[in-house]
Amino acid sequence: MPIPEDVTGEEIDGDVRQELQSLPKTLAEDVAKNLVMVARLIDEDPEGAYGYSRVALRLASRVAAVREAAGFAAYANQKYSEALAEFRAARRMTGTVELWPLMADCERGLGRPEKALDMAGAPEVQKLDKAGQVEMRLVAAGARRDMGQLDAAIVTLQSSELASHSVQPWTARLRYAYADALLAAGREGEAREWFAKAVEADRDGSTDASDRLAELDGVEFMDALDEGEGDNAVNKDAEDDKAAEDDKD
């Protein structure tokens, strides 16, 4: 796949660059460029990112960062079985638990919420940092909802992180998930309150909490006038202008 001229491969994280030092220099540069493209496209063009991840995987499948990138690209394209295999491979290579919540969410994507819940109760969760533990809580709550256990999903999300007034990178998503679970359980008043709290924490627009809040408040957004109404408005303006000219005469 073509690599834009502005991509040098130097843009990648230092830790990843260090991993690639085990490869011949030219090969390492090619892999780095493909990894840069995965990172660049994964949000806006997941299919494109997936294509570049496959190239990197073909070139350097024994590099953990490559397997991880391939996992993220597959996950973004809802290829959960493939993503799970890549995340497992990366975990075997590194021995870290950072990918544990994503692996559990892949189990959800494969229609195995019970497996995701088993993973949520595994010892690995205690080794996660705070962000990882919150992510695991979100996955577990999603698994409960998959199983139709709405009240259990709500309880799963109730935590010190949810109650905290400080805003962390995960705060908006946690509040949003809680609001959504409340709404699914028919608790609309509480849901509105938590969608509003999610909006307060969502400084970079990572959720559509503001739209959900407006929807609950009965606010409707119109992009433009109805075409017929627009024509009528133009015609009315023309008639007013003509009447004004007639009065001058």
Side-chain angles (χ1 to χ4, degrees), residues 50-87:
Y50 179 76
Y52 284 105
S53 77
R54 301 308 294 177
V55 174
L57 196 58
R58 189 170 67 247
L59 295 174
S61 63
R62 295 184 180 182
V63 175
V66 171
R67 302 303 289 267
E68 186 173 324
F72 276 107
Y75 180 83
N77 284 275
Q78 299 182 358
K79 298 177 183 290
Y80 297 118
S81 180
E82 192 175 312
L84 183 57
E86 297 301 341
F87 288 147

PDB file of all heavy atoms in Angstrom, residues 50-87:
ATOM      1  N   TYR A  50      -6.563  -0.929   8.717  1.00  0.00           N
ATOM      2  CA  TYR A  50      -6.463  -2.392   8.732  1.00  0.00           C
ATOM      3  C   TYR A  50      -5.536  -2.871   7.611  1.00  0.00           C
ATOM      4  O   TYR A  50      -4.708  -3.761   7.822  1.00  0.00           O
ATOM      5  CB  TYR A  50      -7.854  -3.002   8.560  1.00  0.00           C
ATOM      6  CG  TYR A  50      -7.867  -4.513   8.535  1.00  0.00           C
ATOM      7  CD1 TYR A  50      -7.719  -5.248   9.702  1.00  0.00           C
ATOM      8  CD2 TYR A  50      -8.025  -5.203   7.329  1.00  0.00           C
ATOM      9  CE1 TYR A  50      -7.731  -6.641   9.683  1.00  0.00           C
ATOM     10  CE2 TYR A  50      -8.038  -6.588   7.299  1.00  0.00           C
ATOM     11  CZ  TYR A  50      -7.895  -7.302   8.473  1.00  0.00           C
ATOM     12  OH  TYR A  50      -7.887  -8.680   8.441  1.00  0.00           O
ATOM     13  N   GLY A  51      -5.659  -2.257   6.443  1.00  0.00           N
ATOM     14  CA  GLY A  51      -4.802  -2.631   5.321  1.00  0.00           C
ATOM     15  C   GLY A  51      -3.329  -2.437   5.634  1.00  0.00           C
ATOM     16  O   GLY A  51      -2.499  -3.315   5.374  1.00  0.00           O
ATOM     17  N   TYR A  52      -2.997  -1.283   6.226  1.00  0.00           N
ATOM     18  CA  TYR A  52      -1.599  -1.021   6.585  1.00  0.00           C
ATOM     19  C   TYR A  52      -1.127  -1.960   7.698  1.00  0.00           C
ATOM     20  O   TYR A  52       0.045  -2.362   7.722  1.00  0.00           O
ATOM     21  CB  TYR A  52      -1.425   0.434   7.012  1.00  0.00           C
ATOM     22  CG  TYR A  52      -1.425   1.396   5.858  1.00  0.00           C
ATOM     23  CD1 TYR A  52      -2.529   2.205   5.581  1.00  0.00           C
ATOM     24  CD2 TYR A  52      -0.315   1.500   5.007  1.00  0.00           C
ATOM     25  CE1 TYR A  52      -2.534   3.086   4.514  1.00  0.00           C
ATOM     26  CE2 TYR A  52      -0.314   2.375   3.935  1.00  0.00           C
ATOM     27  CZ  TYR A  52      -1.426   3.166   3.691  1.00  0.00           C
ATOM     28  OH  TYR A  52      -1.433   4.031   2.623  1.00  0.00           O
ATOM     29  N   SER A  53      -2.030  -2.316   8.610  1.00  0.00           N
ATOM     30  CA  SER A  53      -1.641  -3.222   9.693  1.00  0.00           C
ATOM     31  C   SER A  53      -1.297  -4.606   9.153  1.00  0.00           C
ATOM     32  O   SER A  53      -0.396  -5.274   9.667  1.00  0.00           O
ATOM     33  CB  SER A  53      -2.767  -3.327  10.730  1.00  0.00           C
ATOM     34  OG  SER A  53      -3.830  -4.166  10.283  1.00  0.00           O
ATOM     35  N   ARG A  54      -1.992  -5.003   8.098  1.00  0.00           N
ATOM     36  CA  ARG A  54      -1.701  -6.313   7.504  1.00  0.00           C
ATOM     37  C   ARG A  54      -0.341  -6.319   6.823  1.00  0.00           C
ATOM     38  O   ARG A  54       0.378  -7.333   6.837  1.00  0.00           O
ATOM     39  CB  ARG A  54      -2.801  -6.702   6.496  1.00  0.00           C
ATOM     40  CG  ARG A  54      -4.194  -6.796   7.050  1.00  0.00           C
ATOM     41  CD  ARG A  54      -4.294  -7.671   8.282  1.00  0.00           C
ATOM     42  NE  ARG A  54      -4.003  -9.079   7.995  1.00  0.00           N
ATOM     43  CZ  ARG A  54      -3.968 -10.030   8.905  1.00  0.00           C
ATOM     44  NH1 ARG A  54      -4.190  -9.725  10.181  1.00  0.00           N
ATOM     45  NH2 ARG A  54      -3.700 -11.283   8.582  1.00  0.00           N
ATOM     46  N   VAL A  55       0.027  -5.187   6.232  1.00  0.00           N
ATOM     47  CA  VAL A  55       1.354  -5.078   5.619  1.00  0.00           C
ATOM     48  C   VAL A  55       2.425  -5.185   6.701  1.00  0.00           C
ATOM     49  O   VAL A  55       3.404  -5.935   6.562  1.00  0.00           O
ATOM     50  CB  VAL A  55       1.509  -3.742   4.850  1.00  0.00           C
ATOM     51  CG1 VAL A  55       2.939  -3.587   4.338  1.00  0.00           C
ATOM     52  CG2 VAL A  55       0.517  -3.673   3.689  1.00  0.00           C
ATOM     53  N   ALA A  56       2.238  -4.438   7.790  1.00  0.00           N
ATOM     54  CA  ALA A  56       3.207  -4.479   8.890  1.00  0.00           C
ATOM     55  C   ALA A  56       3.307  -5.887   9.468  1.00  0.00           C
ATOM     56  O   ALA A  56       4.403  -6.361   9.792  1.00  0.00           O
ATOM     57  CB  ALA A  56       2.787  -3.487   9.974  1.00  0.00           C
ATOM     58  N   LEU A  57       2.178  -6.555   9.561  1.00  0.00           N
ATOM     59  CA  LEU A  57       2.156  -7.912  10.120  1.00  0.00           C
ATOM     60  C   LEU A  57       2.903  -8.888   9.213  1.00  0.00           C
ATOM     61  O   LEU A  57       3.620  -9.777   9.692  1.00  0.00           O
ATOM     62  CB  LEU A  57       0.692  -8.350  10.288  1.00  0.00           C
ATOM     63  CG  LEU A  57       0.395  -9.547  11.185  1.00  0.00           C
ATOM     64  CD1 LEU A  57       0.920  -9.315  12.589  1.00  0.00           C
ATOM     65  CD2 LEU A  57      -1.095  -9.816  11.203  1.00  0.00           C
ATOM     66  N   ARG A  58       2.756  -8.697   7.915  1.00  0.00           N
ATOM     67  CA  ARG A  58       3.459  -9.553   6.959  1.00  0.00           C
ATOM     68  C   ARG A  58       4.970  -9.346   7.036  1.00  0.00           C
ATOM     69  O   ARG A  58       5.757 -10.283   6.870  1.00  0.00           O
ATOM     70  CB  ARG A  58       2.954  -9.266   5.543  1.00  0.00           C
ATOM     71  CG  ARG A  58       3.461 -10.241   4.494  1.00  0.00           C
ATOM     72  CD  ARG A  58       2.750 -10.077   3.177  1.00  0.00           C
ATOM     73  NE  ARG A  58       3.046  -8.790   2.541  1.00  0.00           N
ATOM     74  CZ  ARG A  58       2.159  -7.824   2.358  1.00  0.00           C
ATOM     75  NH1 ARG A  58       0.911  -7.970   2.778  1.00  0.00           N
ATOM     76  NH2 ARG A  58       2.503  -6.697   1.769  1.00  0.00           N
ATOM     77  N   LEU A  59       5.377  -8.119   7.338  1.00  0.00           N
ATOM     78  CA  LEU A  59       6.797  -7.783   7.389  1.00  0.00           C
ATOM     79  C   LEU A  59       7.463  -8.170   8.709  1.00  0.00           C
ATOM     80  O   LEU A  59       8.644  -8.509   8.731  1.00  0.00           O
ATOM     81  CB  LEU A  59       6.982  -6.279   7.158  1.00  0.00           C
ATOM     82  CG  LEU A  59       6.595  -5.729   5.779  1.00  0.00           C
ATOM     83  CD1 LEU A  59       6.694  -4.202   5.781  1.00  0.00           C
ATOM     84  CD2 LEU A  59       7.493  -6.314   4.696  1.00  0.00           C
ATOM     85  N   ALA A  60       6.693  -8.093   9.815  1.00  0.00           N
ATOM     86  CA  ALA A  60       7.344  -8.274  11.124  1.00  0.00           C
ATOM     87  C   ALA A  60       6.368  -8.843  12.152  1.00  0.00           C
ATOM     88  O   ALA A  60       6.051  -8.187  13.153  1.00  0.00           O
ATOM     89  CB  ALA A  60       7.911  -6.941  11.609  1.00  0.00           C
ATOM     90  N   SER A  61       5.917 -10.050  11.944  1.00  0.00           N
ATOM     91  CA  SER A  61       4.910 -10.651  12.832  1.00  0.00           C
ATOM     92  C   SER A  61       5.466 -11.020  14.204  1.00  0.00           C
ATOM     93  O   SER A  61       4.707 -11.329  15.118  1.00  0.00           O
ATOM     94  CB  SER A  61       4.317 -11.894  12.172  1.00  0.00           C
ATOM     95  OG  SER A  61       5.320 -12.880  11.972  1.00  0.00           O
ATOM     96  N   ARG A  62       6.794 -10.996  14.351  1.00  0.00           N
ATOM     97  CA  ARG A  62       7.384 -11.361  15.639  1.00  0.00           C
ATOM     98  C   ARG A  62       7.646 -10.162  16.532  1.00  0.00           C
ATOM     99  O   ARG A  62       8.256 -10.297  17.594  1.00  0.00           O
ATOM    100  CB  ARG A  62       8.692 -12.139  15.415  1.00  0.00           C
ATOM    101  CG  ARG A  62       8.472 -13.487  14.726  1.00  0.00           C
ATOM    102  CD  ARG A  62       9.753 -14.269  14.610  1.00  0.00           C
ATOM    103  NE  ARG A  62       9.525 -15.566  13.956  1.00  0.00           N
ATOM    104  CZ  ARG A  62      10.463 -16.482  13.742  1.00  0.00           C
ATOM    105  NH1 ARG A  62      11.715 -16.223  14.123  1.00  0.00           N
ATOM    106  NH2 ARG A  62      10.185 -17.620  13.152  1.00  0.00           N
ATOM    107  N   VAL A  63       7.190  -8.994  16.119  1.00  0.00           N
ATOM    108  CA  VAL A  63       7.336  -7.781  16.922  1.00  0.00           C
ATOM    109  C   VAL A  63       6.018  -7.511  17.645  1.00  0.00           C
ATOM    110  O   VAL A  63       4.971  -7.394  17.012  1.00  0.00           O
ATOM    111  CB  VAL A  63       7.719  -6.576  16.035  1.00  0.00           C
ATOM    112  CG1 VAL A  63       7.759  -5.288  16.858  1.00  0.00           C
ATOM    113  CG2 VAL A  63       9.067  -6.827  15.362  1.00  0.00           C
ATOM    114  N   ALA A  64       6.070  -7.416  18.958  1.00  0.00           N
ATOM    115  CA  ALA A  64       4.856  -7.269  19.763  1.00  0.00           C
ATOM    116  C   ALA A  64       4.042  -6.035  19.375  1.00  0.00           C
ATOM    117  O   ALA A  64       2.810  -6.084  19.305  1.00  0.00           O
ATOM    118  CB  ALA A  64       5.214  -7.209  21.243  1.00  0.00           C
ATOM    119  N   ALA A  65       4.718  -4.917  19.120  1.00  0.00           N
ATOM    120  CA  ALA A  65       4.016  -3.677  18.761  1.00  0.00           C
ATOM    121  C   ALA A  65       3.231  -3.835  17.468  1.00  0.00           C
ATOM    122  O   ALA A  65       2.160  -3.240  17.297  1.00  0.00           O
ATOM    123  CB  ALA A  65       5.011  -2.533  18.622  1.00  0.00           C
ATOM    124  N   VAL A  66       3.757  -4.655  16.557  1.00  0.00           N
ATOM    125  CA  VAL A  66       3.067  -4.911  15.289  1.00  0.00           C
ATOM    126  C   VAL A  66       1.814  -5.746  15.537  1.00  0.00           C
ATOM    127  O   VAL A  66       0.741  -5.461  14.992  1.00  0.00           O
ATOM    128  CB  VAL A  66       4.003  -5.626  14.299  1.00  0.00           C
ATOM    129  CG1 VAL A  66       3.227  -6.098  13.067  1.00  0.00           C
ATOM    130  CG2 VAL A  66       5.137  -4.692  13.884  1.00  0.00           C
ATOM    131  N   ARG A  67       1.935  -6.764  16.394  1.00  0.00           N
ATOM    132  CA  ARG A  67       0.775  -7.597  16.702  1.00  0.00           C
ATOM    133  C   ARG A  67      -0.311  -6.772  17.410  1.00  0.00           C
ATOM    134  O   ARG A  67      -1.501  -6.933  17.152  1.00  0.00           O
ATOM    135  CB  ARG A  67       1.197  -8.786  17.581  1.00  0.00           C
ATOM    136  CG  ARG A  67       2.267  -9.675  16.974  1.00  0.00           C
ATOM    137  CD  ARG A  67       1.858 -10.252  15.616  1.00  0.00           C
ATOM    138  NE  ARG A  67       0.820 -11.259  15.697  1.00  0.00           N
ATOM    139  CZ  ARG A  67       1.042 -12.581  15.777  1.00  0.00           C
ATOM    140  NH1 ARG A  67       2.292 -13.043  15.835  1.00  0.00           N
ATOM    141  NH2 ARG A  67       0.038 -13.429  15.806  1.00  0.00           N
ATOM    142  N   GLU A  68       0.144  -5.883  18.286  1.00  0.00           N
ATOM    143  CA  GLU A  68      -0.810  -5.030  19.004  1.00  0.00           C
ATOM    144  C   GLU A  68      -1.534  -4.086  18.041  1.00  0.00           C
ATOM    145  O   GLU A  68      -2.752  -3.918  18.108  1.00  0.00           O
ATOM    146  CB  GLU A  68      -0.075  -4.226  20.083  1.00  0.00           C
ATOM    147  CG  GLU A  68      -0.991  -3.421  20.968  1.00  0.00           C
ATOM    148  CD  GLU A  68      -0.254  -2.780  22.137  1.00  0.00           C
ATOM    149  OE1 GLU A  68       0.682  -3.413  22.674  1.00  0.00           O
ATOM    150  OE2 GLU A  68      -0.623  -1.652  22.510  1.00  0.00           O
ATOM    151  N   ALA A  69      -0.772  -3.462  17.132  1.00  0.00           N
ATOM    152  CA  ALA A  69      -1.377  -2.557  16.152  1.00  0.00           C
ATOM    153  C   ALA A  69      -2.365  -3.304  15.261  1.00  0.00           C
ATOM    154  O   ALA A  69      -3.445  -2.792  14.937  1.00  0.00           O
ATOM    155  CB  ALA A  69      -0.287  -1.901  15.302  1.00  0.00           C
ATOM    156  N   ALA A  70      -1.999  -4.525  14.870  1.00  0.00           N
ATOM    157  CA  ALA A  70      -2.895  -5.346  14.055  1.00  0.00           C
ATOM    158  C   ALA A  70      -4.169  -5.667  14.827  1.00  0.00           C
ATOM    159  O   ALA A  70      -5.271  -5.695  14.267  1.00  0.00           O
ATOM    160  CB  ALA A  70      -2.196  -6.635  13.635  1.00  0.00           C
ATOM    161  N   GLY A  71      -4.020  -5.883  16.138  1.00  0.00           N
ATOM    162  CA  GLY A  71      -5.184  -6.147  16.977  1.00  0.00           C
ATOM    163  C   GLY A  71      -6.114  -4.948  17.048  1.00  0.00           C
ATOM    164  O   GLY A  71      -7.331  -5.082  16.899  1.00  0.00           O
ATOM    165  N   PHE A  72      -5.539  -3.770  17.248  1.00  0.00           N
ATOM    166  CA  PHE A  72      -6.357  -2.559  17.310  1.00  0.00           C
ATOM    167  C   PHE A  72      -7.080  -2.300  15.986  1.00  0.00           C
ATOM    168  O   PHE A  72      -8.247  -1.906  15.971  1.00  0.00           O
ATOM    169  CB  PHE A  72      -5.492  -1.348  17.674  1.00  0.00           C
ATOM    170  CG  PHE A  72      -5.274  -1.179  19.142  1.00  0.00           C
ATOM    171  CD1 PHE A  72      -4.043  -1.455  19.721  1.00  0.00           C
ATOM    172  CD2 PHE A  72      -6.309  -0.758  19.963  1.00  0.00           C
ATOM    173  CE1 PHE A  72      -3.843  -1.312  21.084  1.00  0.00           C
ATOM    174  CE2 PHE A  72      -6.118  -0.599  21.332  1.00  0.00           C
ATOM    175  CZ  PHE A  72      -4.881  -0.883  21.896  1.00  0.00           C
ATOM    176  N   ALA A  73      -6.388  -2.519  14.875  1.00  0.00           N
ATOM    177  CA  ALA A  73      -6.993  -2.291  13.566  1.00  0.00           C
ATOM    178  C   ALA A  73      -8.126  -3.281  13.312  1.00  0.00           C
ATOM    179  O   ALA A  73      -9.196  -2.918  12.791  1.00  0.00           O
ATOM    180  CB  ALA A  73      -5.938  -2.393  12.471  1.00  0.00           C
ATOM    181  N   ALA A  74      -7.915  -4.541  13.679  1.00  0.00           N
ATOM    182  CA  ALA A  74      -8.975  -5.546  13.522  1.00  0.00           C
ATOM    183  C   ALA A  74     -10.161  -5.210  14.423  1.00  0.00           C
ATOM    184  O   ALA A  74     -11.324  -5.308  14.016  1.00  0.00           O
ATOM    185  CB  ALA A  74      -8.429  -6.935  13.839  1.00  0.00           C
ATOM    186  N   TYR A  75      -9.878  -4.786  15.643  1.00  0.00           N
ATOM    187  CA  TYR A  75     -10.921  -4.406  16.606  1.00  0.00           C
ATOM    188  C   TYR A  75     -11.751  -3.243  16.063  1.00  0.00           C
ATOM    189  O   TYR A  75     -12.988  -3.242  16.180  1.00  0.00           O
ATOM    190  CB  TYR A  75     -10.262  -4.038  17.921  1.00  0.00           C
ATOM    191  CG  TYR A  75     -11.191  -3.630  19.035  1.00  0.00           C
ATOM    192  CD1 TYR A  75     -11.812  -4.582  19.835  1.00  0.00           C
ATOM    193  CD2 TYR A  75     -11.432  -2.286  19.316  1.00  0.00           C
ATOM    194  CE1 TYR A  75     -12.661  -4.206  20.881  1.00  0.00           C
ATOM    195  CE2 TYR A  75     -12.269  -1.901  20.348  1.00  0.00           C
ATOM    196  CZ  TYR A  75     -12.880  -2.862  21.122  1.00  0.00           C
ATOM    197  OH  TYR A  75     -13.715  -2.482  22.151  1.00  0.00           O
ATOM    198  N   ALA A  76     -11.084  -2.256  15.476  1.00  0.00           N
ATOM    199  CA  ALA A  76     -11.780  -1.092  14.923  1.00  0.00           C
ATOM    200  C   ALA A  76     -12.700  -1.474  13.767  1.00  0.00           C
ATOM    201  O   ALA A  76     -13.658  -0.756  13.460  1.00  0.00           O
ATOM    202  CB  ALA A  76     -10.768  -0.046  14.452  1.00  0.00           C
ATOM    203  N   ASN A  77     -12.407  -2.607  13.129  1.00  0.00           N
ATOM    204  CA  ASN A  77     -13.235  -3.093  12.024  1.00  0.00           C
ATOM    205  C   ASN A  77     -14.183  -4.215  12.459  1.00  0.00           C
ATOM    206  O   ASN A  77     -14.755  -4.904  11.623  1.00  0.00           O
ATOM    207  CB  ASN A  77     -12.334  -3.585  10.885  1.00  0.00           C
ATOM    208  CG  ASN A  77     -11.732  -2.449  10.085  1.00  0.00           C
ATOM    209  OD1 ASN A  77     -12.349  -1.931   9.162  1.00  0.00           O
ATOM    210  ND2 ASN A  77     -10.523  -2.033  10.451  1.00  0.00           N
ATOM    211  N   GLN A  78     -14.323  -4.378  13.778  1.00  0.00           N
ATOM    212  CA  GLN A  78     -15.215  -5.381  14.368  1.00  0.00           C
ATOM    213  C   GLN A  78     -14.859  -6.808  13.945  1.00  0.00           C
ATOM    214  O   GLN A  78     -15.712  -7.689  13.915  1.00  0.00           O
ATOM    215  CB  GLN A  78     -16.683  -5.060  14.030  1.00  0.00           C
ATOM    216  CG  GLN A  78     -17.128  -3.709  14.563  1.00  0.00           C
ATOM    217  CD  GLN A  78     -18.585  -3.406  14.282  1.00  0.00           C
ATOM    218  OE1 GLN A  78     -19.293  -4.187  13.655  1.00  0.00           O
ATOM    219  NE2 GLN A  78     -19.040  -2.254  14.749  1.00  0.00           N
ATOM    220  N   LYS A  79     -13.583  -7.021  13.664  1.00  0.00           N
ATOM    221  CA  LYS A  79     -13.079  -8.370  13.377  1.00  0.00           C
ATOM    222  C   LYS A  79     -12.573  -8.943  14.708  1.00  0.00           C
ATOM    223  O   LYS A  79     -11.373  -9.034  14.954  1.00  0.00           O
ATOM    224  CB  LYS A  79     -11.964  -8.311  12.327  1.00  0.00           C
ATOM    225  CG  LYS A  79     -12.409  -7.767  10.965  1.00  0.00           C
ATOM    226  CD  LYS A  79     -11.223  -7.688  10.011  1.00  0.00           C
ATOM    227  CE  LYS A  79     -11.604  -7.080   8.672  1.00  0.00           C
ATOM    228  NZ  LYS A  79     -12.469  -7.954   7.873  1.00  0.00           N
ATOM    229  N   TYR A  80     -13.508  -9.295  15.571  1.00  0.00           N
ATOM    230  CA  TYR A  80     -13.173  -9.583  16.960  1.00  0.00           C
ATOM    231  C   TYR A  80     -12.342 -10.849  17.145  1.00  0.00           C
ATOM    232  O   TYR A  80     -11.477 -10.906  18.015  1.00  0.00           O
ATOM    233  CB  TYR A  80     -14.451  -9.653  17.796  1.00  0.00           C
ATOM    234  CG  TYR A  80     -15.187  -8.338  17.833  1.00  0.00           C
ATOM    235  CD1 TYR A  80     -16.481  -8.217  17.308  1.00  0.00           C
ATOM    236  CD2 TYR A  80     -14.593  -7.199  18.373  1.00  0.00           C
ATOM    237  CE1 TYR A  80     -17.160  -7.014  17.332  1.00  0.00           C
ATOM    238  CE2 TYR A  80     -15.259  -5.979  18.392  1.00  0.00           C
ATOM    239  CZ  TYR A  80     -16.551  -5.900  17.874  1.00  0.00           C
ATOM    240  OH  TYR A  80     -17.211  -4.701  17.883  1.00  0.00           O
ATOM    241  N   SER A  81     -12.596 -11.868  16.362  1.00  0.00           N
ATOM    242  CA  SER A  81     -11.815 -13.090  16.492  1.00  0.00           C
ATOM    243  C   SER A  81     -10.354 -12.829  16.144  1.00  0.00           C
ATOM    244  O   SER A  81      -9.433 -13.263  16.848  1.00  0.00           O
ATOM    245  CB  SER A  81     -12.391 -14.182  15.583  1.00  0.00           C
ATOM    246  OG  SER A  81     -11.649 -15.371  15.695  1.00  0.00           O
ATOM    247  N   GLU A  82     -10.155 -12.084  15.068  1.00  0.00           N
ATOM    248  CA  GLU A  82      -8.798 -11.734  14.631  1.00  0.00           C
ATOM    249  C   GLU A  82      -8.117 -10.821  15.649  1.00  0.00           C
ATOM    250  O   GLU A  82      -6.942 -11.010  15.987  1.00  0.00           O
ATOM    251  CB  GLU A  82      -8.893 -11.043  13.269  1.00  0.00           C
ATOM    252  CG  GLU A  82      -7.593 -10.876  12.548  1.00  0.00           C
ATOM    253  CD  GLU A  82      -7.805 -10.304  11.158  1.00  0.00           C
ATOM    254  OE1 GLU A  82      -8.682 -10.804  10.425  1.00  0.00           O
ATOM    255  OE2 GLU A  82      -7.092  -9.341  10.818  1.00  0.00           O
ATOM    256  N   ALA A  83      -8.879  -9.845  16.149  1.00  0.00           N
ATOM    257  CA  ALA A  83      -8.320  -8.915  17.136  1.00  0.00           C
ATOM    258  C   ALA A  83      -7.896  -9.664  18.392  1.00  0.00           C
ATOM    259  O   ALA A  83      -6.811  -9.422  18.944  1.00  0.00           O
ATOM    260  CB  ALA A  83      -9.350  -7.842  17.486  1.00  0.00           C
ATOM    261  N   LEU A  84      -8.733 -10.584  18.839  1.00  0.00           N
ATOM    262  CA  LEU A  84      -8.426 -11.343  20.048  1.00  0.00           C
ATOM    263  C   LEU A  84      -7.153 -12.162  19.872  1.00  0.00           C
ATOM    264  O   LEU A  84      -6.297 -12.214  20.772  1.00  0.00           O
ATOM    265  CB  LEU A  84      -9.603 -12.259  20.387  1.00  0.00           C
ATOM    266  CG  LEU A  84      -9.496 -13.082  21.672  1.00  0.00           C
ATOM    267  CD1 LEU A  84      -9.271 -12.181  22.881  1.00  0.00           C
ATOM    268  CD2 LEU A  84     -10.753 -13.935  21.854  1.00  0.00           C
ATOM    269  N   ALA A  85      -6.999 -12.769  18.701  1.00  0.00           N
ATOM    270  CA  ALA A  85      -5.790 -13.561  18.434  1.00  0.00           C
ATOM    271  C   ALA A  85      -4.542 -12.686  18.462  1.00  0.00           C
ATOM    272  O   ALA A  85      -3.501 -13.080  19.014  1.00  0.00           O
ATOM    273  CB  ALA A  85      -5.922 -14.261  17.081  1.00  0.00           C
ATOM    274  N   GLU A  86      -4.634 -11.492  17.896  1.00  0.00           N
ATOM    275  CA  GLU A  86      -3.475 -10.586  17.875  1.00  0.00           C
ATOM    276  C   GLU A  86      -3.163 -10.059  19.264  1.00  0.00           C
ATOM    277  O   GLU A  86      -1.990  -9.957  19.659  1.00  0.00           O
ATOM    278  CB  GLU A  86      -3.726  -9.426  16.906  1.00  0.00           C
ATOM    279  CG  GLU A  86      -3.909  -9.836  15.448  1.00  0.00           C
ATOM    280  CD  GLU A  86      -2.713 -10.584  14.875  1.00  0.00           C
ATOM    281  OE1 GLU A  86      -1.612 -10.494  15.446  1.00  0.00           O
ATOM    282  OE2 GLU A  86      -2.891 -11.267  13.863  1.00  0.00           O
ATOM    283  N   PHE A  87      -4.191  -9.697  20.033  1.00  0.00           N
ATOM    284  CA  PHE A  87      -3.963  -9.211  21.393  1.00  0.00           C
ATOM    285  C   PHE A  87      -3.338 -10.305  22.255  1.00  0.00           C
ATOM    286  O   PHE A  87      -2.445 -10.032  23.075  1.00  0.00           O
ATOM    287  CB  PHE A  87      -5.281  -8.750  22.021  1.00  0.00           C
ATOM    288  CG  PHE A  87      -5.814  -7.462  21.453  1.00  0.00           C
ATOM    289  CD1 PHE A  87      -7.188  -7.237  21.354  1.00  0.00           C
ATOM    290  CD2 PHE A  87      -4.957  -6.458  21.024  1.00  0.00           C
ATOM    291  CE1 PHE A  87      -7.687  -6.053  20.847  1.00  0.00           C
ATOM    292  CE2 PHE A  87      -5.443  -5.260  20.504  1.00  0.00           C
ATOM    293  CZ  PHE A  87      -6.824  -5.062  20.418  1.00  0.00           C
TER     294      PHE A  87
END
